[in-house]
Amino acid sequence: MDAANTGESYSYLGPAGTFTEAALKQVPEAAGKPWRPVNNVGEALADVTSGRSVAAIIAIENSVDGGVGATLDALATMPGVRIVGEYLVPVNFVLVARPGTTLAEVRTINAHPVAYAQCRGWLERELPAHGHLPATSNVQAAAALFEDASADAAIAPPGITEHLELDVLARDIGDNPNAVTRFVLVSASRRIPDRTGADKTSLIVELPSDEPGALLAMLEQFSTRGVNMSQLQSRPIGDALGRYRFVIDLDGHLTDERVADALLGLRRTSPNVIFLGSYPRADRREVEYPSRFDDAVFIEARDWLRGLITGEPGA
Ligand SMILES: O=C(O)C(=O)Cc1ccccc1
């Protein structure tokens, strides 16, 4: 299904066989469309902003190593991309080598940095003196074993042997057998996916510099409106020490009154709020919140205020 510049293709971290490709297989609207393998998150997002691809799927967070820094930073600095869906992929890893290699011969390992971080315990136990060569993806780590001899083994997805003639030296080398990676589908479309009742909203928020309590004031925007956060990560802005932006996932949709009201509060108090998108949760779990934060309560309060201003009798 791989194809070049069609404008309707879906970009993913390639080559075929990556976990990112497994995530793309879950995207119903990508079925039957051309898929474009790329080498990094920046390339995937540039495909979207240039219109070369209709959407791209990128890893954003995993349950062992946390947020994927490259993705979070790219989303913060590439205006015009929106998250339109999320997908979960269970991840486990094998150690592979050119045929005939034994575990005792392994000195240097090719691995995507995020995969490497998830196998650190196993590697420290079984290969304490190994060196690490970073690769652009889990499949490229394995493919590179045939390109040169700078590494003896690679960390790869278990399905790698369907693509490449390699020996599996060890299975299940991930430090957590239940590891899951969260992927997001991003597009340049301004259209926000419809509210489903099981939605997430992602934001990036900067705080005013050197203001005591600024972080607490930001969090209060959510707590006073019954909005639950499922992710809060800080990432350095990069221009000076001590300057951070916050990547936030909320339960709820932009068209939920309590979420919209929290965004108004953030907009008033933060020097920069980036709306990354509202989209259906991967687990389709209905968002729960106390009934005092129902849409109707916000609407009633607004109507009451409008009545006071316009002098409506009884308001
Ligand atoms: O999609 C892949 O296979 C990647 O190389 C990125 C990655 C790395 C580690 C866990 C999940 C995805």
Side-chain angles (χ1 to χ4, degrees), residues 207-215 217 269:
L207 297 184
S209 308
D210 298 328
E211 216 173 84
L215 177 60
T269 53

Side-chain angles (χ1 to χ4, degrees), residues 13 18-20 59 91 93 112 114-115 118 136-139 157 181 183:
L13 184 68
T18 59
F19 292 117
T20 311
V91 290
F93 302 96
H112 185 278
V114 176
Q118 295 187 62
T136 56
S137 79
N138 289 306
V139 172
T181 298
F183 293 84

Side-chain angles (χ1 to χ4, degrees), residues 104-161:
E105 288 165 346
V106 174
R107 299 273 173 279
T108 303
I109 297 171
N110 277 342
H112 185 278
V114 176
Y116 181 74
Q118 295 187 62
C119 301
R120 203 171 274 140
W122 187 93
L123 292 169
E124 280 170 7
R125 244 183 355 264
E126 305 296 327
L127 295 166
H130 72 273
H132 170 212
L133 279 180
T136 56
S137 79
N138 289 306
V139 172
Q140 182 50 33
L145 293 176
F146 295 112
E147 289 160 16
D148 62 65
S150 50
D152 313 299
I155 296 176
I160 194 72
T161 46

